[in-house]
Amino acid sequence: MCSLEKRGNLFILILTGQNGEHRLNPNLFSSIISALSRAKAQPTRGSALVTVSHGKFFCNGFDLDWVNAAGSDEETQQRFNLLLDYLKQLVLAFISLPMPTIAAVNGHAAAGGIVLALCHDYVLMRRHRSVLYMIDLDLGIKIPEPFMALFRAKISGSARRDLLLRGLKIKGEEALKMGIVEAVYDGEEEVTNAGIKMADDLAKRNWHGEVYAEIRKGLYSELCDILGIASIPIATPKL
Amino acid sequence: MCTLEKRGNLFILTLTGEDQHRFNPDLISSLLDLLSQVKAQATSGSVLITLAQGKFFSYGFDLDWAQAAGSERGAAKRLQDMADLFKPVIATLLSLPMPTIAAITGHAVAAGFTLALSHDYLIMRKDRGILWMPEVDIAVTLPDYINALFKEKIGDASVRRDLFLRGLKMKGDEAEKRGVVKAAYDGEAEVREASVCLAELREKEVAR
């Protein structure tokens, strides 16, 4: 499902498992959220977290097989709603994480997988063999708040329209130009290493984790309002 | 601390002295006073340019003054008080009945950057000076109105993230390229000249 590795001050969240598409179902969601709690519980000054995965996919969205395996239409809807709830919890957990976060997108990401990537402060991506695809439009699935708020918070201008309203399959260079990702790299190893290096550089800034999280919440205040969380003002400078 | 000059239709507000022009209750009070004078004398075709002397536009809140409170709690209270006192400065600038231009010839940091950003147009030096929000480095959060100002004025989400979550020290070149300032020029005189030119352009547009 996922594992959390600690390397010095770095937390490395790895999407593992036979499920090559790393599709989000209750098990994987719980696993990630639990890993984030463990990271949060440790002293966080000068920490950083990088999320990596292996294989052709970063995360291909919700486990629709699991959703559709339900016994009835009603239960199918319930399962889908459950995944939406979990995704919301995931966004909450990332927004409140008291350290900088980086997603190293080694492969394809779709729908909920893009939300997962965008939960991070920084997104790095593979130049080739990696595509971002908001498949929701093509599947006829509405995107509810707070995920729309996340898109509004993280992506500006026509890039957001193009991501959500055109059903585009966005490759690395394009994602870079659109401002969705910070940088692109050739190869899975390169993007993973770049993610770890960036995490290391940010960790060295030795930021106070709690304050970092509160500044982040202030930065994404509309999203936080919709999630129902408030940012706490901290006025005592640690000079 | 600060002075106000009138040159035809141009109001020139100057943060005087070679110091860091840090905001404390006195400077804030003077600024509010001068801005209300500007407002009172405003006519069609008026324009405001805000300048600063020396190496700094403004380095933000006067942390020395805050710490002179004697305790951590006292310092935090003074900082909170200054954030509250500073809010009307931003509000007044945003409601000023004329175009406003910040001629940034030195470092604009924290509340100093905020002051600059409250103007309609920012002109900056390319060769010297940075825009910087150091709050993440000194571990304090930003007042809600400052978050809101930056969100309104800087459309690019990555730029806001870089400023707030990375404590990026942005030079003129980058500020111009990423849309934080209107234009950047080499040299103090060039920035001032460009500001006056822009002011005259705006003045003529309104006077039409």
Side-chain angles (χ1 to χ4, degrees):
Chain A
M1 294 272 99
C2 80
S3 64
L4 186 70
E5 205 183 291
K6 189 137 196 272
R7 244 185 254 182
N9 277 347
L10 299 190
F11 292 97
I12 305 175
L13 178 67
I14 310 168
L15 302 174
T16 59
Q18 310 308 98
N19 174 8
E21 293 188 18
H22 309 122
R23 285 211 179 234
L24 297 160
N25 55 33
N27 283 339
L28 181 53
F29 268 125
S30 303
S31 193
I32 297 174
I33 291 167
S34 161
L36 293 177
S37 301
R38 291 200 306 281
K40 189 174 180 175
Q42 300 181 42
T44 59
R45 178 146 209 162
S47 299
L49 178 128
V50 54
T51 300
V52 307
S53 96
H54 298 300
K56 270 174 78 177
F57 295 89
F58 177 73
C59 171
N60 219 25
F62 284 176
D63 187 346
L64 296 178
D65 286 345
W66 176 79
V67 170
N68 290 322
S72 64
D73 279 349
E74 203 188 329
E75 214 197 307
T76 300
Q77 187 59 57
Q78 277 174 9
R79 285 194 176 194
F80 190 77
N81 291 343
L82 181 63
L83 294 186
L84 284 174
D85 263 336
Y86 267 118
L87 188 60
K88 183 174 165 179
Q89 281 180 56
L90 189 77
V91 174
L92 246 162
F94 269 105
I95 281 272
S96 333
L97 204 70
M99 65 190 75
T101 56
I102 300 143
V105 176
N106 60 292
H108 306 304
I114 297 178
V115 172
L116 172 61
L118 288 177
C119 280
H120 296 72
D121 298 325
Y122 304 92
V123 184
L124 308 179
M125 190 171 166
R126 213 173 143 177
R127 182 178 270 114
H128 305 295
R129 304 204 190 195
S130 182
V131 142
L132 305 177
Y133 177 28
M134 279 307 290
I135 192 177
D136 309 62
L137 184 61
D138 289 335
L139 289 183
I141 298 174
K142 282 197 279 195
I143 306 166
E145 302 289 353
F147 315 114
M148 289 304 288
L150 179 71
F151 289 118
R152 289 195 295 274
K154 300 279 190 140
I155 305 176
S156 333
S158 55
R160 198 163 69 229
R161 174 209 57 208
D162 286 348
L163 176 68
L164 299 171
L165 288 184
R166 288 179 68 181
L168 287 177
K169 292 181 176 149
I170 301 165
K171 290 186 186 161
E173 288 289 359
E174 193 59 32
L176 180 65
K177 250 193 280 175
M178 287 167 78
I180 299 174
V181 308
E182 274 305 284
V184 290
Y185 300 87
D186 292 312
E188 182 180 305
E189 210 181 305
E190 283 83 344
V191 72
T192 304
N193 290 339
I196 293 171
K197 177 164 195 306
M198 186 175 201
D200 199 43
D201 290 341
L202 293 174
K204 285 195 169 88
R205 298 286 295 270
N206 203 32
W207 289 315
H208 190 282
E210 236 180 69
V211 179
Y212 183 89
E214 296 308 319
I215 294 176
R216 186 201 282 122
K217 286 187 211 166
L219 181 61
Y220 302 128
S221 56
E222 193 219 352
L223 174 61
C224 287
D225 281 344
I226 292 174
L227 287 170
I229 55 173
S231 62
I232 303 164
I234 297 168
T236 317
K238 280 122 181 108
L239 293 159
Chain B
M1 307 225 92
C2 52
T3 59
L4 181 65
E5 198 190 313
K6 192 151 191 272
R7 256 186 249 167
N9 270 341
L10 256 58
F11 289 96
I12 300 175
L13 177 65
T14 307
L15 297 165
T16 55
E18 301 291 311
D19 61 308
Q20 293 186 345
H21 313 128
R22 287 209 182 236
F23 301 119
N24 52 38
D26 285 339
L27 177 54
I28 293 174
S29 174
S30 301
L31 276 173
L32 281 171
D33 192 47
L34 294 182
L35 285 172
S36 68
Q37 285 180 41
V38 172
K39 191 171 172 185
Q41 297 171 51
T43 57
S44 156
S46 296
V47 182
L48 172 80
I49 301 178
T50 300
L51 304 173
Q53 292 172 346
K55 286 217 277 248
F56 301 89
F57 183 76
S58 165
Y59 225 73
F61 291 149
D62 190 342
L63 299 178
D64 286 344
W65 178 81
Q67 295 197 304
S71 69
E72 205 181 83
R73 203 141 156 250
K77 176 152 195 320
R78 282 196 174 188
L79 276 177
Q80 183 57 57
D81 288 347
M82 270 199 291
D84 292 338
L85 283 172
F86 191 63
K87 191 165 154 181
V89 176
I90 306 308
T92 307
L93 275 168
L94 291 174
S95 4
L96 214 64
M98 65 188 71
T100 57
I101 301 163
I104 306 161
T105 48
H107 304 305
V109 176
F113 184 178
T114 307
L115 180 73
L117 200 61
S118 309
H119 292 69
D120 300 322
Y121 306 93
L122 277 66
I123 306 212
M124 187 175 171
R125 244 179 114 156
K126 223 186 263 198
D127 54 331
R128 286 224 192 137
I130 52 159
L131 303 174
W132 182 30
M133 294 304 278
E135 283 76 0
V136 69
D137 291 329
I138 58 172
V140 291
T141 54
L142 288 126
D144 56 0
Y145 67 91
I146 296 185
N147 273 319
L149 178 76
F150 275 74
K151 192 170 182 188
E152 296 277 7
K153 294 283 196 148
I154 300 176
D156 190 327
S158 313
V159 177
R160 289 199 309 271
R161 184 238 13 232
D162 284 349
L163 288 172
F164 282 22
L165 290 185
R166 217 197 297 223
L168 177 67
K169 289 175 182 170
M170 195 179 264
K171 288 189 186 158
D173 262 345
E174 191 180 355
E176 187 184 48
K177 201 166 81 163
R178 298 180 84 182
V180 178
V181 304
K182 184 184 189 340
Y185 299 90
D186 283 312
E188 184 180 304
E190 284 77 354
V191 167
R192 296 201 180 178
E193 202 185 299
S195 303
V196 172
C197 280
L198 180 62
E200 285 167 355
L201 251 165
R202 290 293 171 269
E203 178 194 4
K204 289 194 180 82
E205 279 169 7
V206 178
R208 240 186 296 124

